[in-house]
Amino acid sequence: MNRLEFLQRLQDSLSGEIPPESVRENLQYYNSYIREEKQKGRDEAEILEELGDPRLIARTIIDTTPGAGDGGFQKYRGDSGYGDMGGYEAESRGYSAESEDGQNGPRTSIHYYDLNKWYWKLLGIVVAIGLLMLVFAIFTGILTILIPILPMLVIVMAIMWVFGG
């Protein structure tokens, strides 16, 4: 396996499982890592053997990415030809050329939570049951206060009705 095959397998394993921005960042990280190690004089096959199976790397990335793993994300539609990935423009590397304060740095991104997963549904059910129990507890608390007073209130209202009318 060579660098391009490694990156393609990693992309295929991550695509749709994590946000496309994260797929791109991971592909660029591993591409630049392999290139840097090759520039240090290491053999590409040795580097790839050290990294291991791209599917195992992808599984680790998916397991450590919040909200990932159910295929709820768009497929990554990046450049599948990694021939000159190191020569990407600064914009496509996830870095803005210059931020408002004049500093170079990573662009901020918005993380979307997929609320259609089983544990979010379970949490919603638990919260709904908790709210119902709270309403029931308040209602019964009010009744426990009113029940001892209720006969007195009925007697007072009856006396007022008899003598008032």
Side-chain angles (χ1 to χ4, degrees):
M1 172 173 38
N2 63 24
R3 176 180 60 92
L4 298 178
E5 292 170 338
F6 176 88
L7 294 172
Q8 185 63 48
R9 287 183 188 168
L10 184 61
Q11 176 181 327
D12 292 344
S13 298
L14 291 174
S15 184
E17 298 294 327
I18 63 175
E21 176 73 20
S22 295
V23 174
R24 185 170 51 86
E25 289 170 0
N26 280 287
L27 291 173
Q28 289 170 345
Y29 169 79
Y30 282 101
N31 186 50
S32 64
Y33 175 79
I34 294 167
R35 284 180 176 267
E36 289 170 9
E37 292 299 310
K38 280 179 66 176
Q39 287 176 354
K40 293 177 184 176
R42 293 183 61 194
D43 182 48
E44 186 174 286
E46 176 188 332
I47 299 165
L48 294 175
E49 187 174 326
E50 177 186 290
L51 287 174
D53 186 3
R55 291 174 296 186
L56 182 59
I57 293 170
R59 177 55 26 206
T60 303
I61 292 168
I62 292 166
D63 288 345
T64 58
T65 301
D70 288 344
F73 294 98
Q74 293 178 348
K75 292 285 186 185
Y76 177 70
R77 290 182 176 78
D79 180 21
S80 60
Y82 302 98
D84 194 26
M85 195 167 177
Y88 270 9
E89 297 290 324
E91 186 68 22
S92 67
R93 277 199 312 262
Y95 285 87
S96 57
E98 221 172 84
S99 60
E100 294 171 8
D101 60 358
Q103 301 293 320
N104 288 340
R107 290 185 296 186
T108 58
S109 62
I110 299 172
H111 181 77
Y112 295 97
Y113 290 99
D114 182 13
L115 299 178
N116 204 17
K117 298 185 182 207
W118 69 269
Y119 48 85
W120 289 113
K121 291 177 182 176
L122 179 64
L123 180 64
I125 292 170
V126 168
V127 168
I129 291 172
L131 287 174
L132 287 173
M133 290 177 63
L134 179 65
V135 168
F136 182 73
I138 291 171
F139 181 71
T140 55
I142 291 171
L143 283 181
T144 56
I145 292 171
L146 288 180
I147 287 178
I149 302 172
L150 196 58
M152 285 269 220
L153 289 175
V154 171
I155 293 171
V156 169
M157 289 177 68
I159 292 172
M160 288 177 56
W161 181 66
V162 169
F163 291 112

